[in-house]
Amino acid sequence: MRYADVYARSLDNPDGFWMEQARAIDWERPPSKALFDKNAPLYEWFSDGLLNGCYNCVDRHVAAGRGDQVAIIHDSPVTHTRHEITYSELRDRVASLAGALQAKGVEKGDRVVIYMPMIPEALEAMLACARLGAIHSVVFGGFAALELAKRIDDAQPKALIAASCGIEPNSVVHYKPLMDAAIEMAAHKPDFCVVFQREQEVARLTEGRDHDWHAFQYGAAPADCVPVEGNHPAYILYTSGTTGTPKGVVRHTAGHLVALKWTMKNVYNVDPGEVFWTASDVGWVVGHSYICYGPLVHGATTVVFEGKPVGTPDAGTFWRVIAEHGVVSFFTAPTAFRAIKREDPDGALVKKHDLSRLRCLYLAGERADPDTIEWAQDKLGVPVIDHWWQTETGWPIAANPMGLEPLPVRIGSPSVPMPGYDVRVLDPDGTPLPHGELGAIAIKLPLPPGTLPTLWNAEGRFRKSYLEHFPGYYETGDAGYIDEDGYIYIMARTDDVINVAGHRLSTGAMEEVLASHPDVGECAVIGVSDPLKGQLPMGFICLNKGVTRPGDAVAAECVELVRERIGPVAAFRLATVVDRLPKTRSGKILRATMVKIADGQAWGIPATIDDPAILDEIAQAVRGLGYPQG
Ligand code: COA
Ligand code: AMP
């Protein structure tokens, strides 16, 4: 079937379309129908089916004769190690860990927070939860203890699973002390913790609370898979919103497996048994969907890569991994390519490796700039596919369906909507705009299976954040347009979310941190363009009246405060003190104009501005930080 027919069918007959796709996974009891809409505008999929996520990703492949096939390749240039785990081994390891968790009282519906670096044990912990019907919440290692504490308090986990440390190119990340600090700060205390001790750093365990990963499992009976309802939450993944309180995106079990399974062939053009590699982190949605669940539900081999595009040891690492493991489809963020291109502009390192098995490169997580796409296409000699999605959706909203029907690539566009996504561009009143006109991108409800049904313990926030502005639609938070042929173009965010090296961050959350400094009276954080990371946060601080300390000292403390409270991933280094912030007469800070000034774009004086002279002061302040660049 061609893309257009598949897409049209998914919208005309969603129930028929998704029931058909649901046959590609295994059910203990198949669902009676696909869409459950009695609580519209809240929708669920496959709610009355019974299945197990771990069974679908692991056991069924062993049962089908794939037991000796490699499920996970761990390639870790930062520890100079590499090893492989077959599907049979994975089943045994996961059943053992799940058995030990079960023996300690973890049951269906309990939450388990996972705080681990890019090691196979992170996937094993996720799958062990899925085996029991426990709901995992993985927290990215680049976040500070306070962010982990916020997630512990929201998810209220029975257990926490961590590693002793993570390895960054120039530092060891001390996960265990961060975990201890987070538990100390959190109001909720988990019953127990399990710590995977790495040889690079062995952590001191807290007696009575912490268990060593191996000793914990010793003697525990392996656990069987616990069937759960289709709408049972598989996981909660926290993501940045407009405030410092992260949003707990809920993912239901059946929908995400059905949707991911569909994408593995139709989008990523991977067959079971082939090697698929996503260079991201399990702490992000890309890692959940395309390092763990997607490739495994499909019976493919997934690569868990613990390294960076550059510096581990050089800009040729990606090509070595692709060549050595026979990767057929590769997915990463444009930032990674920009980093490689900067170090190896001629692609000399590409030529040193046999990339003949690579068929396609996929980019997402941020806007893919034409230069990067063209460079990658030229050096790798394979199609480069930009695709667009979000933590909330769990799988691509728009992509080029390479395994179904490769469509002509239009550079600058992540191509066309995927099944079930009825994408529209709306004006501020919610009126659909004609082709080519820029507006808010919204998706007509219901969203397809695998997308967020709600936010954890925050249905009101879910409705307010996504459903209320444009009734009948899901508001993506992105702005853009759709061309005459249905290609989608993503231009900017409509909220305070910025994208730093493919990592989604909230400027609002950073402002909350700056505002907590005793000398700061008022502040604004904006996202400015950066040639490597896409965007970088830049903070403007007004000191409280009477503060006589040097502004630079306060700015430096603010930089440290953001690192301490949010984490190194915020990459917050640009901060400056100004006398006043530019505002409208009604008191709204003119952030968009500030962004234009810092980016060196033409900026006019907004008609609503209170005092235009402030803009010159802002221009002077950004010059002090080295902006506009170039
Ligand atoms: N655990 C702990 N700390 C982490 C971390 C992790 N998993 N990932 C990043 N950090 C730290 C880094 O060490 C760095 O700390 P520093 O300020 O002490 O140097 C900080 O967070 C910022 O990291 P990052 O923004 O990644 O910058 P970088 O300079 O270390 O690396 C790139 C730049 C481009 C190489 C890197 O951003 C990259 O590989 N990006 C790919 C993006 C990606 O995978 N996105 C996922 C969505 S698809
Ligand atoms: P996250 O939830 O971290 O995956 O971030 C999602 C956001 O990243 C989207 O809402 C977009 O703003 C941005 N994004 C992701 N993929 C793309 C893409 N291909 N092009 C442009 N922006 C993207």
Side-chain angles (χ1 to χ4, degrees):
M1 239 201 217
R2 289 167 53 85
Y3 158 76
D5 302 325
V6 170
Y7 179 63
R9 176 142 187 274
S10 77
L11 295 189
D12 296 346
N13 179 7
D15 223 78
F17 178 82
W18 289 112
M19 283 300 272
E20 212 170 274
Q21 311 318 322
R23 290 208 286 270
I25 66 165
D26 280 13
W27 299 85
E28 177 87 8
R29 182 183 70 210
S32 63
K33 58 177 183 167
L35 182 63
F36 287 72
D37 58 2
K38 72 172 192 310
N39 292 327
L42 306 189
Y43 297 88
E44 292 185 353
W45 295 88
F46 311 117
S47 307
D48 65 0
L50 271 185
L51 78 168
N52 181 274
C54 180
Y55 181 82
N56 271 285
C57 290
V58 184
D59 301 55
R60 71 165 176 154
H61 301 310
V62 179
R66 289 192 181 278
D68 293 335
Q69 182 196 310
V70 173
I72 300 175
I73 298 170
H74 184 221
D75 189 305
S76 171
V78 291
T79 57
H80 310 286
T81 57
R82 240 172 285 175
H83 76 282
E84 297 179 343
I85 299 170
T86 64
Y87 270 103
S88 299
E89 288 164 347
L90 184 61
R91 182 203 46 197
D92 295 348
R93 291 164 69 119
V94 170
S96 163
L97 178 62
L101 290 169
Q102 199 170 42
K104 286 284 290 175
V106 174
E107 292 174 354
K108 178 183 167 196
D110 288 338
R111 274 81 58 212
V112 176
V113 163
I114 300 173
Y115 189 51
M116 295 179 107
M118 285 295 287
I119 53 177
E121 285 76 8
L123 278 66
E124 290 170 14
M126 294 162 80
L127 293 164
C129 291
R131 197 168 187 88
L132 300 176
I135 303 165
H136 63 67
S137 187
V138 182
V139 180
F140 177 64
F143 283 123
L146 181 63
E147 288 292 319
L148 177 58
K150 284 183 192 169
R151 287 152 174 81
I152 291 174
D153 274 337
D154 196 64
Q156 310 246 314
K158 189 172 259 182
L160 219 148
I161 305 181
S164 55
C165 70
I167 319 288
E168 283 293 293
N170 302 317
S171 61
V172 171
V173 184
H174 310 289
Y175 276 69
K176 178 56 174 45
L178 285 167
M179 178 189 102
D180 290 342
I183 294 176
E184 184 69 34
M185 284 177 210
H188 172 86
K189 311 290 175 198
D191 289 359
F192 68 96
C193 304
V194 182
V195 179
F196 179 76
Q197 299 278 22
R198 304 192 72 187
E199 57 185 65
Q200 292 76 13
E201 181 167 275
V202 176
R204 178 130 38 97
L205 302 185
T206 304
E207 221 179 295
R209 188 197 70 187
D210 300 345
H211 301 268
D212 167 75
W213 174 275
H214 294 292
F216 175 68
Q217 297 180 44
Y218 186 74
D224 288 333
C225 295
V226 176
V228 301
E229 298 72 25
N231 62 352
H232 181 69
Y235 67 79
I236 306 163
L237 180 57
Y238 290 89
T239 190
S240 301
T242 47
T243 68
T245 311
K247 293 171 169 171
V249 168
V250 173
R251 191 85 58 220
H252 283 173
T253 303
H256 97 118
L257 295 177
V258 170
L260 293 177
K261 173 79 180 135
W262 186 88
T263 59
M264 285 305 299
K265 178 64 195 167
N266 292 287
V267 175
Y268 299 103
N269 196 18
V270 172
D271 285 318
E274 291 188 318
V275 183
F276 179 66
W277 177 27
T278 298
S280 176
D281 190 285
V282 279
W284 306 117
V285 70
V286 173
H288 281 61
S289 293
Y290 293 112
I291 295 173
C292 185
Y293 291 107
L296 295 180
V297 77
H298 197 49
T301 298
T302 185
V303 181
V304 173
F305 173 73
E306 190 180 19
K308 300 272 173 179
V310 293
T312 61
D314 58 29
T317 306
F318 275 11
W319 325 132
R320 174 191 63 75
V321 173
I322 292 169
E324 264 176 32
H325 305 301
V327 172
V328 300
S329 264
F330 175 44
F331 175 1
T332 192
T335 298
F337 265 79
R338 289 196 294 268
I340 293 171
K341 184 174 137 208
R342 201 163 69 163
E343 298 229 336
D344 182 20
D346 301 327
L349 296 169
V350 182
K351 298 189 194 99
K352 293 192 174 165
H353 299 276
D354 172 12
L355 304 186
S356 57
R357 281 178 288 183
L358 182 69
R359 296 195 289 257
C360 199
L361 165 69
Y362 294 83
L363 298 176
E366 58 174 326
R367 199 180 123 72
D369 51 290
D371 275 1
T372 302
I373 295 184
E374 277 158 11
W375 185 88
Q377 244 164 17
D378 178 46
K379 301 296 176 243
L380 301 182
V382 296
V384 177
I385 304 302
D386 178 16
H387 61 324
W388 166 60
W389 49 297
Q390 314 177 304
T391 306
E392 287 85 346
T393 66
W395 60 283
I397 307 169
N400 194 324
M402 295 301 283
L404 173 66
E405 182 197 359
L407 301 174
V409 169
R410 290 191 184 170
I411 290 186
S413 164
S415 302
V416 293
M418 289 295 95
Y421 288 107
D422 189 352
V423 182
R424 308 287 176 92
V425 177
L426 306 178
D427 76 5
D429 301 327
T431 310
L433 288 166
H435 290 296
E437 279 194 33
L438 189 69
I441 308 190
I443 303 167
K444 211 156 190 301
L445 295 171
L447 292 174
T451 54
L452 85 170
T454 188
L455 294 176
W456 183 253
N457 280 342
E459 193 188 297
R461 189 176 182 196
F462 171 68
R463 288 175 186 268
K464 193 162 178 295
S465 305
Y466 303 105
L467 307 181
E468 276 178 8
H469 191 173
F470 300 121
Y473 294 89
Y474 162 83
E475 184 181 4
T476 65
D478 284 314
Y481 64 94
I482 303 179
D483 74 12
E484 299 269 311
D485 301 312
Y487 279 64
I488 296 171
Y489 293 76
I490 308 299
M491 306 310 286
R493 287 286 304 188
T494 56
D495 55 15
D496 298 332
V497 166
I498 59 169
N499 202 312
V500 179
H503 308 312
R504 172 167 161 181
L505 298 165
S506 160
T507 54
M510 293 184 220
E511 288 177 3
E512 284 176 26
V513 174
L514 300 187
S516 74
H517 188 290
D519 293 342
V520 173
E522 218 185 355
C523 64
V525 177
I526 58 170
V528 301
S529 299
D530 180 74
L532 174 64
K533 296 193 179 187
Q535 282 184 301
L536 278 180
M538 181 182 280
F540 298 84
I541 300 157
C542 302
L543 299 180
N544 276 321
K545 271 212 170 66
V547 173
T548 49
R549 301 175 57 217
D552 286 355
V554 178
E557 284 165 16
C558 285
V559 165
E560 206 36 55
L561 207 56
V562 171
R563 190 177 174 88
E564 189 187 301
R565 302 256 178 96
I566 297 180
V569 69
F572 183 75
R573 291 200 175 88
L574 303 169
T576 181
V577 170
V578 291
D579 285 339
R580 304 170 295 172
L581 294 171
K583 290 184 186 166
T584 61
R585 278 185 281 276
S586 59
K588 208 169 161 297
I589 298 173
L590 289 159
R591 290 185 177 76
T593 309
M594 294 165 78
V595 171
K596 283 189 181 147
I597 294 172
D599 284 352
Q601 290 176 25
W603 50 278
I605 295 175
T608 53
I609 194 166
D610 188 22
D611 177 359
I614 303 181
L615 294 177
D616 294 326
E617 292 169 27
I618 294 294
Q620 197 181 335
V622 302
R623 275 198 297 277
L625 293 170
Y627 284 77
Q629 292 192 321

